[in-house]
Amino acid sequence: MGVERKALAVAAALGLAAVAACGDGGSATGDGKRTLTVTMWGGSAQEAHVNSYIKPWAEKNGVEIRQDQPTDYAKLRAQVEAGKVTWGIVEVEPNFAVTACKEGLLEKVDTSIVDTSPIDPKLVSECAIPNLQYAFTIAYNTKTFPDGHPKTWAEFFDVQKYPGKRGFWKYVTGGIFEAALLADGVPADKLYPLDIDRAFRKLDSIKEHLVFYDTGDQQVQLVASGEAPLVQAWNGRIYQAARDGQPVANEWNEHFLSYDTVAIPKGYPNADLAQQWMAHFVNDLDGQAADTEASAYAPINDKALERVDPQILPELPTSPENAAKRAIVIDYGYWAEHYDEVTKRFNEWLAS
């Protein structure tokens, strides 16, 4: 899948972000059209999202869509604090949405306009709604494991039965601690709050077998080449690689459901217009289905699954068959509270 957000956020922080649009994101155009500036993580994923469920709505409502990329939290904060907000709809991580909402950086979702009832309430926060769902799966190299691969996180950590390197995303909200705790015997419904000490002990037990990736491309390369024939992966990236003929596959048992969200920066001049788009999006079944087929992300409204190509359904975390195999929905409320402290400790652990 296209969750290159960590690498993109780092690049943006270094001043390397590519600006796709500029100017006043909340003004009307010369011909009187209202404008809405959309900022997401960039690349083919942003193109798929905008073309599937933003541009069709805009064309029907006489709205001009402007774009910027990638999302940059420091830039969002600077816009709000300066009172010069040009970003309207912004794709952000769920834990950031919770934290930024508490800090007053985001508009609250106007539930008198936006009916969130069709969405799983676990995915909705005070200032954001989800725009896609994906999974962290056990991905494996089909040539390395032709006769059987790990189907649980306990087996993923069993380097004797399943030899080879293991790959994890170098990012604390990527499920590494949840996987370690499940592997160590913690029941899925007892994971949160995470026992970080216990998780590190479990990770220590196979540390010499671990490698870490920053991007989706690196993730696929690790597992497809066999360098790390087992990787905790983004399901869409593995699906795309398998579709392209690479020897990789997703194991859906005990997958973790994750999601991205969209929010409105506080003080955006056309916030009412952004709220109207949100209200439309929740029930835009055609747009969500089109995005799923273009990007391999699951829709936020399960009714849209009925409009998705049946060949893609087995590769989605919210299909009935795969949903039954889910271990957890990642608790981004927990991560909003503990992200900084765990990240500091994780970085120290990586360097030790």
Side-chain angles (χ1 to χ4, degrees):
M1 64 181 296
V3 279
E4 310 296 338
R5 52 183 168 271
K6 180 62 176 175
L8 287 169
V10 171
L14 294 173
L16 301 178
V19 178
C22 58
D24 183 356
S27 64
T29 62
D31 58 5
K33 272 191 175 182
R34 295 172 298 171
T35 66
L36 180 64
T37 297
V38 177
T39 303
M40 294 181 163
W41 295 108
S44 59
Q46 177 164 330
E47 181 180 8
H49 302 335
V50 172
N51 289 341
S52 297
Y53 55 66
I54 295 179
K55 284 187 175 179
W57 167 85
E59 290 170 1
K60 289 182 180 179
N61 290 277
V63 177
E64 179 179 308
I65 297 300
R66 299 174 178 175
Q67 295 187 60
D68 200 349
Q69 60 176 282
T71 297
D72 178 343
Y73 298 150
K75 185 181 288 187
L76 186 154
R77 178 184 295 275
Q79 288 185 19
V80 174
E81 291 179 348
K84 297 179 180 180
V85 180
T86 60
W87 287 355
I89 294 293
V90 184
E91 187 176 27
V92 300
E93 293 165 293
N95 51 299
F96 175 82
V98 173
T99 302
C101 190
K102 290 179 180 178
E103 294 179 7
L105 298 177
L106 303 175
E107 300 280 353
K108 293 182 179 179
V109 176
D110 187 344
T111 53
S112 69
I113 298 174
V114 184
D115 177 13
T116 62
S117 61
I119 310 173
D120 183 340
K122 292 180 181 178
L123 313 185
V124 178
S125 60
E126 193 173 17
C127 291
I129 64 170
N131 66 314
L132 59 88
Q133 300 182 76
Y134 65 97
F136 291 106
T137 64
I138 296 172
Y140 62 97
N141 184 295
T142 56
K143 290 183 177 179
T144 304
F145 301 107
D147 302 317
H149 60 272
K151 296 185 178 180
T152 67
W153 291 108
E155 291 178 343
F156 184 94
F157 274 71
D158 188 343
V159 296
Q160 301 303 317
K161 185 176 181 180
Y162 300 100
K165 296 288 187 180
R166 273 76 169 144
F168 280 104
W169 193 17
K170 195 162 57 177
Y171 198 38
V172 297
T173 61
I176 183 172
F177 297 101
E178 288 88 343
L181 291 171
L182 283 181
D184 204 42
V186 178
D189 61 352
K190 304 293 184 184
L191 275 180
Y192 296 101
L194 299 178
D195 186 337
I196 297 297
D197 290 338
R198 181 172 177 177
F200 272 117
R201 287 195 295 270
K202 187 63 175 179
L203 290 168
D204 278 334
S205 72
I206 63 166
K207 188 173 183 180
E208 64 184 286
H209 300 276
L210 297 180
V211 294
F212 294 89
Y213 61 84
D214 290 302
T215 70
D217 286 343
Q218 293 172 353
Q219 169 195 124
V220 170
Q221 182 179 11
L222 283 172
V223 67
S225 68
E227 179 182 348
L230 294 172
V231 170
Q232 185 185 48
W234 309 327
N235 70 285
R237 290 305 297 256
I238 299 303
Y239 161 70
Q240 291 163 6
R243 184 187 59 192
D244 293 340
Q246 299 194 57
V248 298
N250 285 306
E251 168 54 53
W252 283 100
N253 192 50
E254 291 192 354
H255 72 269
F256 304 156
L257 183 70
S258 185
Y259 55 99
D260 271 358
T261 62
V262 283
I264 307 166
K266 186 74 172 179
Y268 180 60
N270 282 350
D272 59 334
L273 190 60
Q275 299 272 7
Q276 291 170 30
W277 171 78
M278 281 187 173
H280 166 80
F281 173 64
V282 170
N283 290 295
D284 181 9
L285 305 184
D286 287 335
Q288 291 182 39
D291 183 58
T292 294
E293 293 181 359
S295 66
Y297 298 136
I300 65 164
N301 189 325
D302 285 345
K303 290 182 179 179
L305 291 173
E306 300 171 4
R307 308 188 187 196
V308 172
D309 184 339
Q311 293 186 335
I312 296 179
L313 285 177
E315 301 298 332
L316 301 178
T318 56
S319 69
E321 181 179 358
N322 290 335
K325 300 176 182 178
R326 181 177 306 150
I328 59 164
V329 177
I330 290 183
D331 185 345
Y332 287 103
Y334 169 87
W335 282 114
E337 185 175 350
H338 298 281
Y339 176 82
D340 288 342
E341 65 188 78
V342 178
T343 295
K344 181 176 184 295
R345 184 171 174 183
F346 182 55
N347 289 337
E348 292 171 348
W349 179 82
L350 289 172
S352 65

